[in-house]
Amino acid sequence: MNTSNPMRPAISRRTFLGAVAATGVGSLAAGCGAGDDNAGDSSSAGGELSIMFWGEGNQNELQLELIELYEQQADGVTFSAEYSGLEGYYDKLATRVAGGNPADIFGIHDVSLAEYAARGAVRNIEEFRAEPLGLDSVANESVVEGCLIGGELHFVPLGVSTEPGFIYDKTVLEQAGLALPSDEWTLAEYRELAQAVAQSGVRTAGTADLGGVPPALGAWLRTHELSLLSSGGLGFDVDDLAEWFNFWDELRREGSAVPIEVTAAAVGFQNDPVVTADAALTTTAKDKGWLALDGLTDDELVLVPFPRAAADAPAATQIVPGAWFAVSAESEKVDAAIDFLSYHISNMDALRTIGIGRHGVPLFEEAREELYPEAKPAHQKIYDLLATVEASQTGAVDVVYPVGANELFQQLKPLNEQIGFGQSGVSDAAESFFDTAERILEG
Amino acid sequence: MTSNTAQRRRPRRILAHGALVVGTVVMSYPLLWLLASSFKEDSKIFSSTGLIPNPVDLANYAEGWTGAGKSFTTFFTNSLVIGIVAVIGNVIFCSITAYAFARLDFRFRRFWFAMMLGTIMLPHHVTLIPQYSMFDYLGWVNTFLPLLVPKVMAVDAFFVFLLVQFIRTIPHELDDAARIDGCGPVRIFRHIIFPLLTPALATTAIFTFIWTYNDFFSQLIYLNDVDLFTVPLGLRMFLDATGESAWGPMLAMSAVALIPLFIVFLVFQRRIVQGIATTGLRG
């Protein structure tokens, strides 16, 4: 049989490369034009607002119930709600923003605030700060500070949280016959406790390794009268970071912190060393992380403030917004969006419906007083911790990361692991972090 | 002599089988872990290492079926509708396109063929936003159309290429014979090429179904309303990396979600091998 076919579409290298180039250029050209053509097309008819948020099934249901409550009392306003898990949420948000079709209101969290504001995707809502949002009467200034870009309000805080959450496994400590940490405990006491747990043999190590956790570094810096960020740059120097890395290196070497292999594998609440029964002390980004960890183990977990440098040092835990909503810069229904958000943060029925597991404790004192007695015991503990931290907060507030800072702080984990695996020295790792900082923050 | 050789080979064979069994267990461990964990409470999933759930808890299945804010009946129906329409679209339109590229002579054929291959090499992210804008402009966002219309336009270049390769192996003499009998290009396709394409079409159908069923990203981008959500989107709704997650129900529904794929694979496994072995994709 003759296998050479005169009609076979043989491709020369030149034809092929030309075609690939044409396809690429064509798509890019389409990309540049399409967004603009469509920019004015984002409003939907009538009084319908679109809202986009992420959350886990049960929490999403509570959010939907709150929206329904609002619809019942608002005249003719309806919502189209889009929600999903966190995975993929930002991919979708970014696509919608770039495609010129964002939702009127969308959920966002600390690491992305500045980036979306810089992209021009978020409406400046400073004019609504006092009225109707009433944010001037929020007791703790740092909550509103965590919503400002260039000194003006760009995001609505939905509740109050403490950051970082610090957690000990009460069951393990009692089994080992050790004294439980107090609200005023210090880093020295923390280290002793971690050592004691490891020596007791109830767990292989005392504490999770927090060397690569940005909110933990933030807490450490605050109690040392420094801060993670300071006017767009870093609020600490290379020696401070080296001291931090060294602290964790020593804890690992003495067996107080879990081996670096465990840390490298511990991604997500489900692999936290307290859940996998490797340690008895750990941290989460915010206090609500405690609720997540608590559901994954039968042990009793307790939330305490992050240890301080010394008894008279500033508090390490800070108060931050628990969650944020932004109004899209493209939205043509800003007033309606603000009215909803105002209802969301101050109406008692709304606050009672949503609870505190998702957005944190209510912003306003009156609401807290009314809802505390009704709250579940676990949620009351979060209220209690907030009261403790509020009474002692003196340090600086690091909430809104400048553009690029999230990428920079992601470097802490691999650098801490490099030290742990012996691939890098403590001071080399700290210097490498500052080299990256220079490139990212000033570049 | 032969029996001696067989005897000498036996220990080696036992060793090989042993290694294969160990390999199978290692490979299937994640699946077994998924199944076992779907019967455990959340507080036991990550804190106990044993594979055997004690006590066996069926609550995750009941809770998971309705726990993502909408019943999984909706998600499964949507996934199956999208999967089946995609299969029909790809089988018909990719084969027509492949026939044109492999057998017909038309202007700029080589150029268009190269263009089509170029689309395989374009990263998804390059076309994502232009595509989104286009579908948004057409008012198709939040419908199944962005997921289905491309399938009836033969945009899955991989399958077109696979079918072109297969058609090239079909002798031209068959076409010539049909042409002598008075067949035009359409009837040659219908009566000669399409029936002979069966093994390659089986491969196309199976992989289209599996890839569409598993697709998370385009479904995430184009579907907003929970009533239109598919299984991969439903599964993600159990998890929130910043707070509480419902691991047990998520794992239970993941186990259920594997069933359609498992059935497709069991029923068609011989055709998958046959399809790959006969389409010129073998190494």
Side-chain angles (χ1 to χ4, degrees):
Chain A
M1 193 179 79
N2 179 14
T3 49
S4 71
N5 171 13
M7 289 166 74
R8 201 175 116 196
I11 323 154
S12 73
R13 196 166 55 100
R14 198 181 297 163
T15 322
F16 174 74
L17 289 176
V20 171
T23 318
V25 172
S27 312
L28 287 176
C32 296
D36 297 337
D37 292 347
N38 204 33
D41 209 33
S42 62
S43 71
S44 45
E48 191 178 83
L49 281 168
S50 51
I51 183 168
M52 190 174 159
F53 53 88
W54 79 85
E56 171 268 327
N58 179 38
Q59 297 290 348
N60 285 340
E61 271 174 39
L62 297 178
Q63 183 73 61
L64 291 175
E65 268 177 50
L66 187 155
I67 291 171
E68 212 170 292
L69 273 182
Y70 177 78
E71 284 174 334
Q72 283 166 10
Q73 58 88 57
D75 204 16
V77 178
T78 54
F79 274 88
S80 83
E82 296 163 33
Y83 51 96
S84 62
L86 181 62
E87 192 184 347
Y89 175 81
Y90 277 99
D91 292 323
K92 183 165 182 171
L93 182 62
T95 309
R96 292 197 58 169
V97 167
N101 178 30
D104 293 302
I105 302 171
F106 54 86
I108 189 161
H109 73 317
D110 34 15
V111 297
S112 302
L113 300 175
E115 193 189 323
Y116 274 79
R119 270 191 219 181
V122 176
R123 171 81 150 76
N124 180 334
I125 48 172
E126 176 66 18
E127 61 196 283
F128 306 105
R129 191 206 284 212
E131 274 306 317
L133 291 171
L135 293 178
D136 284 350
S137 56
V138 171
N140 203 301
E141 278 175 27
S142 60
V143 175
V144 179
E145 238 174 85
C147 300
L148 306 181
I149 300 285
E152 301 201 323
L153 191 73
H154 280 67
F155 304 94
V156 175
L158 302 177
V160 185
S161 281
T162 54
E163 177 191 281
F166 197 94
I167 287 139
Y168 68 82
D169 187 328
K170 190 177 171 191
T171 314
V172 169
L173 295 189
E174 283 179 347
Q175 227 174 312
L178 298 167
L180 304 178
S182 73
D183 286 347
E184 289 85 30
W185 68 327
T186 62
L187 285 164
E189 287 166 346
Y190 165 47
R191 190 168 176 169
E192 275 167 33
L193 184 62
Q195 265 169 349
V197 174
Q199 279 159 12
S200 76
V202 181
R203 289 286 183 265
T204 45
T207 176
D209 178 349
L210 313 182
V213 183
L217 172 62
W220 158 282
L221 291 168
R222 263 189 303 282
T223 189
H224 286 95
E225 299 184 52
L226 296 160
S227 64
L228 209 50
L229 299 160
S230 153
S231 58
L234 294 173
F236 57 101
D237 63 26
V238 67
D239 294 334
D240 300 320
L241 186 62
E243 195 185 332
W244 166 256
F245 280 144
N246 191 48
F247 178 79
W248 292 104
D249 198 33
E250 284 177 12
L251 257 72
R252 280 190 299 268
R253 285 174 195 276
E254 68 194 29
S256 307
V258 293
I260 198 70
E261 295 80 14
V262 175
T263 308
V267 177
F269 294 119
Q270 68 278 17
N271 292 318
D272 189 279
V274 166
V275 172
T276 55
D278 288 305
L281 302 156
T282 190
T283 191
T284 58
K286 294 206 169 53
D287 51 19
K288 67 177 175 180
W290 166 63
L291 296 169
L293 283 183
D294 200 41
L296 295 174
T297 167
D298 285 335
D299 288 4
E300 187 182 347
L301 305 185
V302 178
L303 198 54
V304 279
F306 198 91
R308 300 170 186 226
D312 55 353
T317 306
Q318 66 173 350
I319 290 171
V320 296
W324 295 256
F325 266 142
V327 177
S328 161
E330 306 263 349
S331 175
E332 289 170 3
K333 293 163 188 151
V334 179
D335 289 331
I338 294 291
D339 189 63
F340 166 73
L341 292 171
S342 165
Y343 176 86
H344 196 306
I345 58 176
S346 53
N347 182 281
M348 288 310 296
D349 293 332
L351 293 169
R352 194 168 276 123
T353 304
I354 197 83
I356 68 163
R358 180 184 185 84
H359 300 318
V361 172
L363 295 170
F364 304 105
E365 203 57 53
E366 318 81 75
R368 290 188 205 171
E369 276 167 23
E370 193 173 330
L371 294 176
Y372 179 83
E374 305 169 10
K376 287 193 279 190
H379 288 180
Q380 283 183 345
K381 287 181 190 168
I382 289 186
Y383 274 99
D384 295 342
L385 178 76
L386 179 68
T388 312
V389 176
E390 252 176 354
S392 64
Q393 183 169 8
T394 49
V397 173
D398 306 310
V399 183
V400 182
Y401 284 11
V403 177
N406 184 39
E407 187 192 341
L408 173 64
F409 290 131
Q410 301 284 326
Q411 299 300 312
L412 287 172
K413 186 174 158 60
L415 287 174
N416 186 51
E417 284 167 14
Q418 280 171 24
I419 299 170
F421 284 119
Q423 293 165 344
S424 171
V426 164
S427 49
D428 289 346
E431 271 164 30
S432 150
F433 180 86
F434 273 78
D435 289 346
T436 316
E438 211 168 297
R439 187 168 47 77
I440 293 183
L441 294 182
E442 287 161 25
Chain B
M1 182 80 179
T2 348
S3 70
N4 275 348
T5 321
Q7 260 176 359
R8 256 188 283 128
R9 280 189 185 158
R10 188 171 291 165
R12 210 187 287 170
R13 204 179 268 185
I14 290 172
L15 262 181
H17 274 88
L20 285 174
V21 167
V22 172
T24 311
V25 170
V26 170
M27 296 297 279
S28 55
Y29 179 81
L31 202 63
L32 296 176
W33 182 88
L34 167 83
L35 268 180
S37 301
S38 71
F39 293 106
K40 291 180 183 175
E41 292 170 32
D42 274 6
S43 63
K44 299 273 193 303
I45 294 173
F46 299 101
S47 54
S48 69
T49 45
L51 263 192
I52 298 172
N54 182 30
V56 173
D57 186 4
L58 288 172
N60 287 334
Y61 284 84
E63 203 183 304
W65 195 262
T66 52
K70 201 87 202 171
S71 159
F72 259 77
T73 316
T74 312
F75 302 151
F76 273 107
T77 313
N78 291 338
S79 272
L80 292 178
V81 166
I82 294 177
I84 291 168
V85 176
V87 166
I88 296 172
N90 266 358
V91 163
I92 297 176
F93 293 93
C94 288
S95 57
I96 293 176
T97 313
Y99 172 67
F101 277 128
R103 289 289 208 255
L104 303 184
D105 195 13
F106 53 93
R107 198 176 285 188
F108 302 125
R109 189 179 52 149
R110 288 175 189 175
F111 170 77
W112 291 121
F113 191 71
M115 278 290 263
M116 185 203 71
L117 287 183
T119 62
I120 299 183
M121 289 158 222
L122 266 185
H124 187 51
H125 296 90
V126 175
T127 52
L128 176 69
I129 291 166
Q131 243 175 22
Y132 181 86
S133 299
M134 190 180 77
F135 288 129
D136 184 41
Y137 180 76
L138 293 171
W140 287 3
V141 169
N142 202 24
T143 67
F144 289 158
L145 293 174
L147 306 172
L148 298 182
V149 172
K151 303 288 179 194
V152 298
M153 295 183 149
V155 298
D156 276 334
F158 172 77
F159 294 119
V160 176
F161 179 65
L162 179 129
L163 293 164
V164 166
Q165 293 293 95
F166 191 87
I167 295 174
R168 283 177 184 166
T169 64
I170 299 174
H172 275 264
E173 286 78 359
L174 294 176
D175 299 36
D176 295 342
R179 212 167 284 130
I180 290 164
D181 288 343
C183 284
V186 175
R187 288 180 70 192
I188 293 179
F189 174 72
R190 238 181 83 194
H191 297 293
I192 310 289
I193 303 292
F194 194 78
L196 289 173
L197 271 179
T198 317
L201 290 177
T203 312
T204 304
I206 293 158
F207 282 106
T208 302
F209 183 79
I210 293 176
W211 291 345
T212 313
Y213 186 82
N214 284 336
D215 178 28
F216 169 63
F217 198 71
S218 25
Q219 296 172 1
L220 169 87
I221 297 292
Y222 290 114
L223 303 177
N224 299 336
D225 196 338
V226 181
D227 287 320
L228 299 178
F229 272 18
T230 55
V231 172
L233 298 181
L235 288 177
R236 258 68 169 200
M237 288 183 18
F238 290 112
L239 302 184
D240 175 5
T242 65
E244 290 173 88
S245 294
W247 286 98
M250 195 278 284
L251 295 173
M253 286 306 103
S254 301
V256 176
L258 287 175
I259 296 173
L261 289 183
F262 203 61
I263 293 173
V264 167
F265 196 80
L266 273 189
V267 174
F268 294 107
Q269 60 172 331
R270 195 179 302 166
R271 287 198 178 273
I272 294 177
V273 178
Q274 196 185 4
I276 291 171
T278 50
T279 48
L281 282 186
R282 60 195 183 276

